[in-house]
Amino acid sequence: MNPAYTPLPGYGRLLPANTAPLHPTSFEGWFFTAYAGALVVAFALPWELNCIRKRRDYLPLLTLCAGAITSLGEPMLDHVGHLRWANNLPGPAFSNFGLHIPALIPPCYMLFMGLEAYWIYTMIQRGINKRQFMWMFAAVGLSDAIMEHPGLAMHTYEYYGNQPFKDGLFPFYWSFTNGVAICTIAVLIHFVWPHVKGKGWMTLAILPLGIIGTTMGEFGAGFPVFLAINANMATWVQWVVGSLTLVLSVAWIRVLAEIVARETDVEWTFWGLFKARFMLPHQRERYIERKTRVGVPIPEGADVAKAPVPGTRVSA
């Protein structure tokens, strides 16, 4: 067993004794660190500082910091979700629960639990109907699967043991639970920000929303599959119990849509929402203009066209 993944005394032994260590190349380790979030965060940070300088808008930077704080929960998810890291990745960023967490994790969370949650928040502010909210959840889940596959293929990490809904590398129930978590964070921001905006230190109330929303979403929707893969039960029973996570996730998103959805003047499609996440700000603005229907009132405070898109290079 790889000593780097032997839990500290009191945490038990989760990995089987014959588990082979993972050995990505140095290039693969650094490539996935940049690909999983560090590169986008580096490009987005100047834009966020520019928002503060020009508009006194602290929310983008606060959501980015909230994502970094949320990464502290990664060891818990690694344990219950049976994920292990290679021991030669850049880092560690920190160690907890007997696990060494690589340097790629904080920027990865800053991208997905920070910038992507902010993008969804701006979509809610712009106006999005119930069906489009469900599509947005699906787009988030698909992008999560796309992001994870290269790292799994390069053996920077792996999901071990019996994993329901696994395509050989990636257990797709994570697309559901991660999507629930990110959308939940965005909805929390939607309700909290109007109460703290412009109120000095009270704006720091945004910082814990990442870890709160992630804990609610990942464990609230994911507990059936987490219980299943950590119990001594037949594989088919794990699949049956684990499938409840998919049902809970869809129901969760449906409830969020009921809470925040409203009429919109933009005729979003699933493919349009997915593409919009990878556009530069000016490209997305033109795209929204082309998709806007004439005669439908635009909700007040709409600024989605100015928001950066997770997974793209942004300019100040």
Side-chain angles (χ1 to χ4, degrees), residues 24 28 32 147-158 169-170:
E28 289 171 334
F32 191 66
M147 187 279 295
E148 293 210 36
H149 270 84
L152 291 166
M154 292 184 291
H155 306 293
T156 58
Y157 67 104
E158 74 169 0
L169 295 174
F170 178 65

Side-chain angles (χ1 to χ4, degrees), residues 26-44 85 89-90 102-112 115 147 150-151 154 156 310-313:
S26 177
F27 169 80
E28 289 171 334
W30 282 105
F31 171 83
F32 191 66
T33 298
Y35 170 83
L39 189 61
V40 175
V41 169
F43 283 125
W85 298 96
L89 297 176
L104 68 90
I105 282 299
C108 179
Y109 273 73
M110 293 165 78
L111 170 60
F112 285 91
L115 287 176
M147 187 279 295
M154 292 184 291
T156 58
T312 65
R313 178 174 178 175

Side-chain angles (χ1 to χ4, degrees), residues 162-181:
N162 290 330
Q163 293 275 1
F165 310 103
K166 189 176 182 180
D167 66 351
L169 295 174
F170 178 65
F172 273 88
Y173 65 81
W174 283 106
S175 288
F176 286 78
T177 59
N178 288 340
V180 166

